[in-house]
């Protein structure tokens, strides 16, 4: 193979983008404590800011109320429960009222997580354009393409974002590498998440200890998306504005790019900004859930890693030698030949293969 990267990629252009172009960029975020996952999008509700320990208390109270409620749906997400309760056709039993009151007292947003983030992103963009005295332009917006990994339902259509946002945004797909059609725009919002499941993360880490799932998935895709905008116009000095889902993602992107891009909090742009949280149902405190889930996922990942290891050993040198001798013994027996020496060799090979098959502790 011949490395032709230098012939295709201009080092001076990349250097200018990193050192000069991104120095014109400002990035902000919507949530501070959450690191957005598909569970947040599919199951969570947006509430006024609440620290993690307080959300743990809400979860524990909610679980107790639900367990005392006859006919309650076990492990029903807050999003589904609230949607049922808000439906005019829903007949709430008296036993369900305390559970509903608990959630109502938190003053949940009328918007779903993805609709809230989309509206918040356009509000932040509008304020930034105003402070820069720049003309209004649509916001490049990227969200997950589906509401879940095993669904054919489009998240954009399901959330009816066309009606909510109108022509204030331009829909950009998650996979948009290499496309140049949006390079004249200076604002973009990445509100998607491509995080792996805990099982997948632990499996990859079991076979690749230094594997970083964030860099491999969400961070990398976020950077690819942001460079669909005017960030790719190396010689421009026009300011750029990026919005991402959460503070952690903003810091990860800035770290990978290692540029002069500024990260500011939403309140730096909008003094009246009100911090929000995503309430996600989990039985037990965050610490106990994390410990329980970590143990379960580690166990599953260990089993999967050993399964792969054993499959690899079936094509390893120990197995090939054992298999070769086993075939030789059977052929010798069929030909009526003395097999004692071959059997002895085969058993030594079997012992070597068995030793190699033992999983490491």
């Amino acid at each position: 193979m011949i490395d032709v990267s230098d012939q295709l990629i201009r080092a001076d252009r990349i250097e200018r983008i990193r050192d000069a172009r991104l120095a014109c960029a400002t990035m902000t975020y919507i949530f501070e404590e959450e690191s957005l996952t598909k569970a947040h999008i599919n199951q969570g509700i947006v509430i006024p800011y609440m620290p993690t320990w307080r959300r743990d208390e809400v979860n524990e109270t909610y679980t107790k109320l639900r367990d005392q409620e006859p006919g309650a749906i076990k492990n029903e997400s807050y999003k589904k429960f609230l949607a049922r309760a808000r439906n005019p056709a829903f007949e709430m039993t008296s036993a369900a009222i305390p559970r509903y009151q608990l959630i109502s007292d938190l003053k949940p947003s009328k918007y779903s997580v993805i609709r809230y983030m989309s509206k918040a992103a356009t509000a932040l963009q509008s304020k930034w354009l105003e402070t820069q005295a720049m003309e209004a332009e649509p916001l490049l917006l990227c969200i997950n393409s589906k509401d879940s990994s095993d669904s054919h339902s489009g998240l954009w259509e399901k959330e009816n974002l066309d009606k909510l946002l109108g022509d204030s945004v331009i829909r950009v797909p998650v996979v948009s590498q290499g496309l140049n059609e949006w390079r004249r725009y200076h604002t973009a919002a990445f509100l998607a998440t491509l995080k792996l499941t805990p099982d997948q993360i632990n499996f990859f880490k079991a076979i690749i200890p230094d594997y970083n799932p964030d860099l491999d998935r969400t961070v990398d895709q976020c950077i690819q998306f942001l460079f669909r905008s005017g960030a790719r116009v190396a010689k421009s000095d026009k300011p750029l504005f990026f919005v991402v889902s959460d503070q952690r993602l903003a810091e990860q992107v800035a770290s990978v790019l290692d540029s002069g891009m500024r990260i500011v909090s939403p309140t730096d742009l909008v003094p009246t900004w009100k911090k929000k949280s995503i309430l996600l149902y989990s039985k037990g405190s965050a610490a106990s859930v994390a410990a329980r889930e970590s143990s379960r996922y580690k166990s599953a990942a260990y089993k999967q890693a050993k399964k792969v290891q054993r499959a690899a050993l079936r094509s390893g040198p120990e197995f090939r030698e054992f298999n070769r001798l086993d075939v030789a013994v059977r052929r010798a027996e069929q030909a009526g030949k003395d097999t004692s020496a071959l059997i002895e060799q085969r058993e030594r090979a079997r012992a070597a293969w068995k030793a190699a098959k033992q999983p490491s502790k």
Side-chain angles (χ1 to χ4, degrees), residues 265-297:
S265 72
T267 52
D268 290 333
L269 296 166
V270 183
T272 57
W273 176 269
K274 297 187 186 324
K275 289 170 57 175
K276 301 286 185 178
S277 295
I278 301 177
L279 184 64
L280 185 65
Y281 177 71
S282 61
K283 191 170 183 179
S285 69
S288 63
V289 169
R292 183 171 65 250
E293 295 299 290
S294 175
S295 173
R296 180 165 68 88
Y297 290 137

Side-chain angles (χ1 to χ4, degrees), residues 52-69:
T52 303
W53 65 267
R54 179 72 183 98
R55 278 177 273 163
D56 289 343
E57 289 183 345
V58 171
N59 275 331
E60 290 174 1
T61 302
Y62 181 87
T63 299
K64 290 177 183 177
L65 292 173
R66 191 205 58 209
D67 289 347
Q68 295 169 4
E69 183 184 325

Side-chain angles (χ1 to χ4, degrees), residues 92-107:
M92 186 177 299
T93 64
S94 58
I97 292 177
R99 186 159 58 114
Y100 174 69
Q101 194 62 52
L102 172 70
I103 303 304
S104 295
D105 289 345
L106 300 178
K107 297 181 171 53

Side-chain angles (χ1 to χ4, degrees), residues 83-137:
R84 287 198 306 121
R86 286 172 169 172
N87 187 335
F90 176 61
E91 296 183 7
M92 186 177 299
T93 64
S94 58
I97 292 177
R99 186 159 58 114
Y100 174 69
Q101 194 62 52
L102 172 70
I103 303 304
S104 295
D105 289 345
L106 300 178
K107 297 181 171 53
S109 170
K110 65 179 181 179
Y111 294 124
S112 66
V113 171
I114 201 68
R115 286 167 68 88
Y116 169 77
M117 289 197 300
S118 300
K119 288 289 287 184
T122 57
L124 290 166
Q125 178 231 24
S126 178
K127 187 64 177 178
W128 180 82
L129 288 171
E130 180 184 319
T131 61
Q132 297 294 316
M134 292 177 66
E135 292 183 5
E137 66 172 42

Side-chain angles (χ1 to χ4, degrees), residues 222-327:
C222 177
I223 292 172
Q224 287 286 348
F225 162 73
L226 296 179
F227 275 92
R228 299 312 102 209
S229 72
R232 68 189 297 100
V233 184
K235 294 183 179 180
S236 173
D237 58 2
K238 285 254 190 173
L240 301 164
F241 181 65
F242 303 139
V243 183
V244 294
S245 56
D246 54 84
Q247 185 175 4
R248 178 182 174 186
L249 179 57
E251 291 169 350
Q252 288 175 320
V253 168
S255 176
V256 171
L257 291 175
D258 189 24
S259 66
M261 181 170 61
R262 292 190 315 133
I263 297 179
V264 300
S265 72
T267 52
D268 290 333
L269 296 166
V270 183
T272 57
W273 176 269
K274 297 187 186 324
K275 289 170 57 175
K276 301 286 185 178
S277 295
I278 301 177
L279 184 64
L280 185 65
Y281 177 71
S282 61
K283 191 170 183 179
S285 69
S288 63
V289 169
R292 183 171 65 250
E293 295 299 290
S294 175
S295 173
R296 180 165 68 88
Y297 290 137
K298 283 181 179 177
S299 175
Y302 175 83
K303 290 177 182 177
Q304 182 64 18
K306 291 310 169 187
K307 183 178 179 181
V308 171
Q309 183 188 56
R310 291 188 183 103
L313 285 169
R314 283 193 168 273
S315 60
E318 296 88 356
F319 175 76
R320 290 198 299 270
E321 178 63 9
F322 164 72
N323 191 57
R324 182 186 70 79
L325 289 167
D326 189 50
V327 171

